[in-house]
Amino acid sequence: MTKKTRNWKPQTALVHGGTLRSGFGETAEAMYLTQGYVYETAQAAEARFKGEEPGFIYSRYANPTVDMFEKRMCALEGAEDARATASGMAAVTAALLCSVKAGDHIVAARALFGSCRWVVETLAPRYGIEATLVDGTDIANWEKAVRPNTKLFFLESPTNPTLEVVDIAAVAALANSIGARLVVDNVFATPLQQKPLQLGAHIVVYSATKHIDGQGRCLGGVILSDKKWIDENLHDYFRHTGPSLSPFNAWTLLKGLETLPLRVRQQTESAGKIADFLAEQPEIARVIYPGRDDHPQAAIVKKQMSGGSTLICLDVKGGKQAAFALQNALDIVLISNNLGDAKSLITHPATTTHKNLSDEARAELGIGPGTLRLSVGLEDTDDLLEDIAQALKAVK
Ligand SMILES: *Cc1c(COP(=O)(O)O)cnc(C)c1O
């Protein structure tokens, strides 16, 4: 039995949405750790394979626990349909490759998560799909990059790690004007603080590894769009290439969704206070935070995001040495390249997540030797402020 999700606000949908309760009436979502399904009769198997009878066939195709996760994500995102994947990168790769074919052209914002950039810049051209990377913050750059064979636009907003913001509605309008599609990687905003489908995007992808799990346990991803696009473009790819999410991880992510609004609210509130504190410190050259008035695209933030961010980008004066000193002096905040976790995490993009880019490509993205990305966790805000204050003394 699936509950109706009509008119539910996010906090309700995230607790009850998509629940498929078995005959035992369990309270918590059941974990169906099964590869396959059995049929009463040979005729029933035939009918199910023909699609004449509903039901599950094989867990590479679909699984009840994974189904609950997909339905709950649809309820949150306001999407008609979804497919869950084993990782965020499996979701991004499927969303992009299922939208184009050899001879097509992709325009993407150059500020992309490292692996997303590899898919667009390195993998896609191997199959005859050309890509142009642009500075996504100016719509004129997107317009200039359009070719007669442009079929897909791809962006991430806010971006990793410099939290640049791209005008999603403007790029969606451009995509619609030429009959192309827009894929938005909405990880940094979370499904609560930005609704790309409402802004005109056609496909939204998440790494559920980040805020959706939010407790550092498992990888996962999800692609959300209209039913027609999923049926026509994604369905067969999924069945036959198998990027499927494990039922165990789907269950973990379902539990993550229950507390997502509470966690994101708390983490954003803390991050706002920490960003304001950092902006006042003499050791810090620059703070980029989507909730502050001095954010380079503050007007677009106001237009398309309903909250700030759980992430902060900062530049420490004194370059790499000072950035390393600050990281090493932190007690509570851990050095890790993950984000969206209950634990506060800090990373130095130039030597970790963005180490494969050339110096010029990094400079273009605003990633300097002193740049750090801080993902604010669920610890007490005052404890975090105190930890950062004591660590800043190590920089002096
Ligand atoms: C982490 C991340 C991904 C990749 O997700 P995985 O679950 O690690 O595969 C893609 N895009 C963005 C913006 C991310 O932060």
Side-chain angles (χ1 to χ4, degrees):
M1 168 183 75
T2 307
K3 289 215 176 206
K4 271 193 297 194
T5 53
R6 200 157 41 92
N7 297 335
W8 280 350
K9 293 188 179 61
Q11 224 161 307
T12 309
L14 287 172
V15 175
H16 294 289
T19 301
L20 201 63
R21 207 159 261 133
S22 82
F24 293 117
E26 65 281 353
T27 311
E29 298 73 8
M31 199 195 297
Y32 292 94
L33 282 179
T34 183
Q35 300 165 340
Y37 306 85
V38 294
Y39 314 92
E40 286 292 325
T41 60
Q43 286 81 354
E46 182 183 30
R48 203 167 297 174
F49 269 78
K50 274 187 178 165
E52 290 169 1
E53 201 181 75
F56 295 93
I57 292 174
Y58 189 55
S59 285
R60 169 152 40 80
Y61 298 4
N63 168 282
T65 312
V66 176
D67 194 63
M68 285 192 251
F69 172 65
E70 291 170 346
K71 290 212 165 63
R72 196 168 288 182
M73 281 302 305
C74 285
L76 173 62
E77 196 71 38
E80 278 177 14
D81 205 357
R83 287 289 183 280
T85 53
S87 70
M89 280 321 304
V92 170
T93 306
L96 297 181
L97 294 187
C98 293
S99 297
V100 286
K101 59 180 185 332
D104 288 347
H105 175 240
I106 302 175
V107 182
R110 68 186 176 200
L112 289 178
F113 184 77
S115 297
C116 297
R117 192 159 162 162
W118 183 85
V119 170
V120 170
E121 215 177 15
T122 308
L123 182 66
R126 288 181 193 167
Y127 299 95
I129 301 149
E130 283 190 82
T132 306
L133 294 177
V134 299
D135 170 359
T137 56
D138 186 348
I139 187 68
N141 297 334
W142 295 87
E143 286 163 359
K144 265 184 272 167
V146 168
R147 298 182 192 167
N149 57 339
T150 302
K151 290 286 154 55
L152 189 69
F153 293 85
F154 178 44
L155 66 89
E156 182 185 312
S157 181
T159 64
N160 175 39
T162 50
L163 306 177
E164 270 179 8
V165 169
V166 180
D167 188 337
I168 297 174
V171 180
L174 177 63
N176 283 328
S177 75
I178 61 161
R181 287 181 179 275
L182 169 62
V183 176
V184 174
D185 180 340
N186 205 37
V187 167
F188 272 51
T190 82
L192 296 160
Q193 294 180 335
Q194 182 167 275
K195 300 281 186 196
L197 296 178
Q198 286 173 19
L199 295 165
H202 304 91
I203 301 155
V204 183
V205 290
Y206 290 99
S207 163
T209 312
K210 311 296 165 54
H211 304 83
I212 292 174
D213 174 38
Q215 289 150 88
R217 300 166 297 194
C218 67
L219 300 184
V222 61
I223 306 163
L224 300 116
S225 188
D226 57 277
K227 193 172 178 317
K228 186 170 183 291
W229 182 80
I230 289 189
D231 283 349
E232 290 176 3
N233 299 283
L234 211 53
H235 183 78
D236 287 348
Y237 172 91
F238 250 73
R239 286 191 158 207
H240 304 306
T241 69
S244 343
L245 179 64
S246 119
F248 181 85
N249 289 355
W251 181 85
T252 309
L253 296 171
L254 276 163
K255 289 292 143 196
L257 285 178
E258 290 185 341
T259 57
L260 182 71
L262 297 174
R263 288 184 285 108
V264 169
R265 193 187 307 148
Q266 168 67 27
Q267 287 169 307
T268 303
E269 206 179 289
S270 272
K273 288 181 185 157
I274 293 168
D276 289 343
F277 170 79
L278 286 169
E280 299 298 317
Q281 304 310 307
E283 298 85 0
I284 305 298
R286 177 180 72 149
V287 170
I288 310 174
Y289 183 70
R292 281 175 60 85
D293 289 339
D294 60 4
H295 186 280
Q297 295 93 31
I300 301 171
V301 173
K302 279 213 176 71
K303 197 174 76 161
Q304 70 186 26
M305 293 182 70
S306 60
S309 175
T310 66
L311 291 129
I312 302 166
C313 181
L314 56 136
D315 271 329
V316 187
K317 287 180 192 163
K320 178 179 168 184
Q321 202 189 350
F324 273 30
L326 176 64
Q327 284 184 294
N328 290 340
L330 289 162
D331 282 329
I332 299 172
V333 180
L334 305 173
I335 302 170
S336 173
N337 46 289
N338 202 5
L339 62 98
D341 200 276
K343 297 176 172 65
S344 291
L345 307 175
I346 196 161
T347 193
H348 183 251
T351 54
T352 61
T353 54
H354 291 70
K355 77 163 178 29
N356 290 337
L357 292 182
S358 64
D359 289 345
E360 301 82 74
R362 268 198 299 275
E364 263 179 13
L365 298 178
I367 303 168
T371 305
L372 291 170
R373 185 193 74 196
L374 173 63
S375 168
V376 177
L378 288 173
E379 303 92 341
D380 183 273
T381 313
D382 290 336
D383 284 347
L384 289 173
L385 286 167
E386 207 178 295
D387 190 30
I388 293 164
Q390 67 79 23
L392 280 170
K393 292 199 187 109
V395 177
K396 277 180 195 152

